Amino acid sequence: MSDTQENIILNHLKKHKFITTWEAITQYRITRLSARIFELRERGHQIITNHINENGKRFAEYSLIKESENVR
């Protein structure tokens, strides 16, 4: 498995259970997390979006529910 942004995000989700845009930017320099999540969903991964309201800020937190059985 090469280190594409999709694979980096998928590995993070497997290890940490969720990821936010801020984590993607600060840890991996991935700035378009929602686009990568869309691509992972297109590949068959079941990922849910939780909308978090914290200290007057709203952000998305993505969680892996089930990996695709058709991993490339």
Side-chain angles (χ1 to χ4, degrees):
M1 189 183 282
S2 63
D3 283 341
T4 65
Q5 289 185 350
E6 287 178 37
N7 289 335
I8 290 168
I9 293 164
L10 186 58
N11 287 333
H12 181 96
L13 289 170
K14 288 181 202 176
K15 183 175 181 183
H16 300 286
K17 307 299 183 215
F18 66 88
I19 192 167
T20 65
T21 301
W22 184 247
E23 290 172 320
I25 291 169
T26 59
Q27 293 180 29
Y28 308 111
R29 300 180 59 98
I30 296 172
T31 58
R32 298 196 57 226
L33 179 60
S34 62
R36 303 297 79 83
I37 294 295
F38 176 84
E39 293 163 355
L40 287 167
R41 287 174 174 154
E42 288 287 303
R43 287 177 40 196
H45 299 287
Q46 293 179 13
I47 299 171
I48 60 167
T49 304
N50 294 311
H51 296 283
I52 310 293
N53 289 310
E54 192 174 281
N55 299 323
K57 309 261 191 254
R58 182 176 171 154
F59 59 93
E61 178 182 87
Y62 301 97
S63 301
L64 180 65
I65 300 303
K66 183 178 177 190
E67 278 190 78
S68 172
E69 295 176 10
N70 302 320
V71 177
R72 291 185 209 176

